[in-house]
Amino acid sequence: MIPLSVDEIASLVGGKVFGDGSVTVSAPAVIDGREARPGGLFVAFAGEHTDGHAYAPQAAEAGAVAVLGSRPTALPTVVVDDAQEALQRLAAHVITMLRDRLTVVAITGSQGKTSTKDMMEAVLSSAAPTVATSGSFNNELGVPLTMLRTEATTRFLVLEMGARHIGDIADLTALVAPDIAVVTNVGRAHLGEFGSREAIATAKSELVRGLAVGGSAVLHADDPRVLAMGDLTAGPVLAFGAGERASVRVGDLALDRLGRPSFTLQHEPPPERGGKVVVTLPLVGAHWALNAAAAAAAGLAAGVALEQAAAALSTTSISKWRMELRTLSNGAMLLDDSYNANPESTKAGLDALASIEAGRRIAVLGEMLELGETSRDAHHEIGTYAATKADLVVTVGGAAADIADGAGRRAVALSDNAAAIEWLRTHLAPGDAVLLKASRGARLDQVAAALL
């Protein structure tokens, strides 16, 4: 964060200072006192069950020097009526101060956006100092907090933007209009919230509508709903994918024995920044090739050469619980993709499992949340698909019963995570490969932690 005094922060957000207003905030803002850094700002929210102001001493002990909240604390405090609105106003102002030397890249999509964001961070940071969203902190708090991590030396800001309602992304682009907007796909994630894929497409298109003047859209050429968003901007459009409409195109895709992809990326027509490169990823699953193409396309839009992007992608690392391949003490392989799930991402995970050379392939699947009226059919569909990719389909929890029904004779239905841990400890053999996949609420990461 660029240094600002408490008095300056109060002036920017329309707040009142209690305490020493000359104190300078020089480190990022946080909403968890344990994460405060020396010189940082602690943003306190008074919730229904917990009052964040009570944690100001904890934040001070960690190094925070000031608080932004709705009542005074022992630290110098900027008191406002609405801490969230004040946080957003502060973030927007900081970016305005840095805008002439900062390129803002924003990404959204139904699945793969966090992993693609991680890849974009790798590509852009190979060229210049880059700040990116941590994990999937992509909402009305996560976006401004990420914005406030920028410094005078930052040249790229990568923002993941999520949505549960139409208008959510428009609100985020109102804080900062991106120079580059990346849309990965329109799938069935949060279908229960939106009601239809058309509504999901409308929500995702807000990122393209929110582009800065002259900004570039990076769109998935193989997804018609995404590619159509190119009509919403007068700026440049760079399409990625595997089909003929892609200007950054994946080709010659091959997988090694652990399902790790190698492929070519070709930019057509060949520009000064490179025409065709070979990429090898340290990640499991063919679907990573499209994510890499999106990241490389964003890099091209930001001025990063294709060859440089390929080199950065070859060593990229991804946020936890996303296709993490580990070898267990008994010689089995664990593919932990337990962070979240929807029908499209679950099929990608099953494809990845099937690509691994293994004695047996075991898919451990839990509930996919927020699918609305389509939930039962979607779970049955996944069970049927899983039976074509795995030797055994282990379902966890009663909500996953329709997966078991779809998997038929290959299904093993278990009651909860404890039962899944016990079953896996008993039945996994050396050379087996096991996939863990479910929505966040199923907490299959607990199963992974017990096996490691």
Side-chain angles (χ1 to χ4, degrees):
M1 179 169 167
I2 60 175
L4 292 169
S5 71
V6 172
D7 282 335
E8 288 175 317
I9 292 173
S11 176
L12 292 171
V13 303
K16 183 177 180 181
V17 175
F18 288 81
D20 185 357
S22 69
V23 169
T24 297
V25 174
S26 57
V30 298
I31 58 174
D32 184 336
R34 296 167 296 183
E35 297 177 357
R37 289 166 47 188
L41 177 68
F42 176 55
V43 185
F45 293 91
E48 183 178 349
H49 302 292
T50 303
D51 186 353
H53 298 81
Y55 294 91
Q58 179 189 63
E61 185 176 351
V65 296
V67 172
L68 175 62
S70 56
R71 65 174 175 82
T73 71
L75 286 173
T77 304
V78 177
V79 175
V80 294
D81 292 332
D82 187 329
Q84 178 178 304
E85 180 186 4
L87 171 66
Q88 293 176 344
R89 288 177 64 182
L90 178 61
H93 179 81
V94 166
I95 296 304
T96 298
M97 295 175 68
L98 300 172
R99 204 65 168 95
D100 62 341
R101 52 188 180 274
L102 184 69
T103 298
V104 179
V105 185
I107 181 170
T108 194
S110 293
Q111 63 267 347
K113 57 182 175 291
T114 298
S115 300
T116 306
K117 175 266 301 178
D118 293 336
M119 289 180 154
M120 292 195 309
E121 180 182 9
V123 169
L124 296 173
S125 64
S126 72
T130 300
V131 168
T133 301
S134 296
S136 297
F137 202 11
N138 58 24
N139 62 9
E140 65 278 2
L141 296 179
V143 169
L145 287 171
T146 304
M147 292 164 65
L148 287 173
R149 286 169 43 213
T150 55
E151 300 175 347
T153 57
T154 305
R155 293 296 173 265
F156 295 112
L157 173 61
V158 181
L159 295 171
E160 180 178 328
M161 295 186 176
R164 291 181 179 275
H165 308 93
I166 289 175
D168 285 351
I169 292 176
D171 289 343
L172 297 176
T173 60
L175 300 179
V176 54
D179 301 294
I180 301 169
V182 182
V183 184
T184 59
N185 45 56
V186 173
R188 286 178 277 181
H190 307 306
L191 186 60
E193 297 282 348
F194 286 101
S196 70
R197 289 181 74 161
E198 289 69 27
I200 294 173
T202 296
K204 302 305 181 185
S205 72
E206 292 171 3
L207 189 65
V208 178
R209 294 179 186 274
L211 272 166
V213 176
S216 299
V218 176
L219 305 175
H220 189 175
D222 305 335
D223 186 326
R225 291 184 177 90
V226 175
L227 190 60
M229 296 176 193
D231 295 334
L232 303 177
T233 177
V237 174
L238 194 58
F240 67 91
E244 294 181 355
R245 293 186 173 184
S247 50
V248 178
R249 186 178 304 164
V250 174
D252 304 319
L253 178 64
L255 304 175
D256 69 9
R257 65 181 188 84
L258 294 179
R260 297 172 298 197
S262 295
F263 51 93
T264 59
L265 282 180
Q266 185 166 352
H267 187 196
E268 299 177 350
E272 293 181 1
R273 291 189 294 273
K276 188 174 184 178
V277 295
V278 176
V279 181
T280 299
L281 298 177
L283 307 166
V284 181
H287 64 285
W288 290 108
L290 286 176
N291 294 349
L300 285 168
V304 180
L306 199 58
E307 287 188 358
Q308 185 172 351
L313 290 167
S314 69
T315 59
T316 191
S317 59
I318 302 299
S319 298
K320 65 179 180 179
W321 302 327
R322 292 169 174 85
M323 303 303 289
E324 292 181 305
L325 185 64
R326 308 278 188 87
T327 299
L328 303 180
S329 59
N330 71 345
M333 291 174 284
L334 173 66
L335 187 58
D336 183 2
D337 198 31
S338 60
Y339 182 78
N340 217 339
N342 57 62
E344 288 76 23
S345 69
T346 301
K347 287 182 178 180
L350 290 164
D351 290 343
L353 174 67
S355 70
I356 298 173
E357 291 183 10
R360 293 182 303 171
R361 299 177 182 89
I362 301 170
V364 179
L365 306 176
E367 183 182 12
M368 300 176 293
L369 296 170
E370 299 179 1
L371 294 176
E373 295 178 355
T374 70
S375 180
R376 183 169 185 176
D377 289 342
H379 282 84
H380 191 278
E381 172 191 334
I382 287 300
T384 302
Y385 191 82
T388 69
K389 301 292 181 177
D391 300 293
L392 291 171
V393 180
V394 178
T395 62
V396 183
D402 288 313
I403 298 177
D405 288 343
R409 290 179 296 176
R410 297 202 174 197
V412 176
L414 301 175
S415 59
D416 54 26
N417 285 356
I421 292 167
E422 180 62 28
W423 189 93
L424 288 166
R425 284 174 171 168
T426 302
H427 291 86
L428 277 184
D432 287 347
V434 56
L435 167 71
L436 300 180
K437 185 71 174 173
S439 282
R440 191 80 208 97
R443 293 303 308 272
L444 288 192
D445 59 289
Q446 296 175 344
V447 177
L451 296 176
L452 291 171

